[in-house]
Amino acid sequence: MRKQIAAANWKMNLTLQQGEELLDAIISKPHSLQPHQQAVFAVPFPYLFMAQQKLSGKQNVFVAAQNCYSKKSGAYTGEVSVEMLQSLNIPYVVIGHSERREYFQESNQLLADKVTICLENKIQPIFCCGEPLQIREANTQNEYVAKQLAESLYHLSAEQLQQVVIAYEPIWAIGTGKTASSAQAQEMHAFIRAQLSAKYGASVADAISILYGGSVKAANAVEIFGQPDVDGGLVGGASLVADEFVAIINALK
Ligand code: PEP
């Protein structure tokens, strides 16, 4: 079975102490991760080391960065390189979250470079894609997402692509309380998989985990994750509440 992932995106929230308390609370609650299931915590950069230490030795639980820079090293004040993340043994990094695309003007081309440098350094990108509201209203979301995939991922070899986790996050559903219906999520996930299949072949496409993101919470996770092409979720708001996120982990199929 494909890897099923519940990924927490803390964004720019919580102090160090609050982050420690949240992780402690989540770890202390009963959750059962089967071998094909993972919980991932994308925490702010200053908390990576703390989270790595707290979660070390926990089966199928991993820490992720929320971003990285596209260059190897050098005079880029304020940026964080993939080599730095690798030196902390961080296995995942979120790439191209819609907030990075919107507020920091991250283009598909820049994201292609970030994906490449992650893979060159053996860090798995969680690559985000998804359409804004006006695109959904014009019913051109398939073309929009296909372009994001083509421009940021299709330079990869099939072997490289298999190291990528994709997160489909319709922007109109992020932090808004509006969730795509499970049918809308399934439809887009199946479309993404069909696109990957056309480019890389069915066996490659079938092996790639595609997460859904957009107001996932305990109350809707079972239904959304139950869709055949949905392999878990990237979760913002609900990942900041221990009981909610544990329930989301337990909703993985
Ligand atoms: C996100 O941060 O990627 C996200 C989907 O946020 P929320 O769950 O709050 O909508």
Side-chain angles (χ1 to χ4, degrees), residues 9 11 97 99 169 173-176 213-216 234-238:
N9 176 14
K11 311 192 187 197
H97 191 281
E99 289 149 16
E169 300 207 303
I174 297 178
T176 58
S215 300
V216 172
L234 179 56
V235 185

Side-chain angles (χ1 to χ4, degrees), residues 147-244:
K147 188 168 188 287
Q148 290 179 319
L149 298 175
E151 292 185 358
S152 298
L153 298 182
Y154 286 3
H155 62 292
L156 301 175
S157 67
E159 200 185 323
Q160 286 177 312
L161 187 82
Q162 287 180 85
Q163 299 307 310
V164 176
V165 172
I166 293 179
Y168 167 61
E169 300 207 303
I171 299 172
W172 46 272
I174 297 178
T176 58
K178 271 190 210 157
T179 318
S181 67
S182 51
Q184 281 173 319
Q186 168 56 25
E187 191 178 26
M188 179 56 86
H189 283 227
F191 172 76
I192 291 171
R193 207 177 297 289
Q195 292 291 113
L196 299 177
S197 179
K199 170 79 181 163
Y200 290 96
S203 66
V204 173
D206 283 347
I208 291 179
S209 300
I210 307 177
L211 317 185
Y212 169 79
S215 300
V216 172
K217 42 186 184 285
N220 59 24
V222 170
E223 184 181 342
I224 295 173
F225 296 175
Q227 300 303 308
D229 284 291
V230 178
D231 304 309
L234 179 56
V235 185
S239 74
L240 301 173
V241 181
D243 285 337
E244 280 281 313

Side-chain angles (χ1 to χ4, degrees), residues 69-137:
Y69 198 44
S70 56
K71 305 281 187 205
K72 190 170 160 22
S73 62
Y76 302 103
T77 302
E79 292 295 335
V80 172
S81 76
V82 169
E83 269 184 4
M84 293 171 187
L85 300 177
Q86 196 189 33
S87 70
L88 290 173
N89 292 318
I90 302 297
Y92 287 110
V93 56
V94 178
I95 296 290
H97 191 281
S98 62
E99 289 149 16
R100 305 267 348 145
R101 292 173 184 263
E102 182 179 353
Y103 304 133
F104 303 96
Q105 286 76 48
E106 297 199 355
S107 65
N108 290 343
Q109 183 51 56
L110 175 74
L111 300 177
D113 292 343
K114 290 189 177 192
V115 166
T116 301
I117 200 162
C118 286
L119 293 171
E120 283 171 357
N121 288 277
K122 310 257 175 300
I123 294 187
Q124 288 189 259
I126 300 176
F127 175 77
C128 302
C129 58
E131 79 285 355
L133 185 60
Q134 66 272 27
I135 294 289
R136 172 62 66 163
E137 284 174 348

